[in-house]
C-alpha cells in the first residue's frame, strides 16, 4: 500500500501499512492491532544503571580536574543516576514479589518480565 492509496472495503490494513490522514478508511475495515512493545529490565534499566555506575567510577579518577574546572556536578549526576537506578530496581523487585504473592496493589506486569 502506497501513501495516498484508498483503503477499500475488505482490504486489511496491516501495522506496517502507511495510512495517512487523507486516506479513505471506511467503517468495518479490519485494522490489525500492533503487537505490544516490550522493553524492560534487561534491555533498559539494568544496562542504564550499569552505565551510570561506570561513569561514576571513571569520574572518580578525574576529581582534581573536575574541581579545577568547577564541574563536580558531573560526579554527583552520575552518582544520582546510579542510586536512582538501584532504587528503581529495588521497587521493581518489591512489586514482583508482591505480584507473586497475589497482593491486590501489586503490578501484574512485573510477572511478565524475565530477568
Amino acid at each position: 500500500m502506497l501513501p495516498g492509496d484508498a483503503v477499500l472495503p475488505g482490504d486489511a490494513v496491516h501495522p506496517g501499512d502507511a495510512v495517512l490522514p487523507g486516506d479513505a478508511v471506511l467503517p468495518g475495515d479490519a485494522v490489525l492491532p500492533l503487537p505490544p512493545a516490550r522493553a524492560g529490565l534487561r534491555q533498559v534499566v539494568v544496562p542504564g544503571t550499569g552505565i551510570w555506575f561506570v561513569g561514576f567510577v571513571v569520574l572518580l579518577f578525574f576529581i582534581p580536574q573536575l574541581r579545577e574546572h568547577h564541574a563536580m556536578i558531573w560526579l554527583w549526576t552520575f552518582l544520582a543516576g546510579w542510586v536512582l537506578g538501584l532504587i528503581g530496581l529495588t521497587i521493581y523487585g518489591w512489586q514482583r514479589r508482591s505480584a507473586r504473592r497475589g497482593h491486590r496493589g501489586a503490578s501484574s506486569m512485573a510477572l511478565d518480565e524475565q530477568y
Side-chain angles (χ1 to χ4, degrees), residues 9-22:
D11 289 346
V13 179
H14 300 284
D17 291 344
V19 179
L20 301 175

Side-chain angles (χ1 to χ4, degrees), residues 9-74:
D11 289 346
V13 179
H14 300 284
D17 291 344
V19 179
L20 301 175
D23 290 343
V25 180
L26 303 174
D29 288 339
V31 178
L32 302 176
L34 293 173
R38 302 250 182 214
L41 219 54
R42 189 178 314 152
Q43 297 88 357
V44 178
V45 179
V46 172
T49 302
I51 289 170
W52 284 114
F53 176 71
V54 169
F56 175 72
V57 170
V58 167
L59 287 180
L60 286 175
F61 293 103
F62 295 99
I63 287 178
Q65 290 87 351
L66 291 172
R67 284 190 178 146
E68 178 183 334
H69 296 286
H70 304 289
M72 287 294 290
I73 189 73
W74 289 108

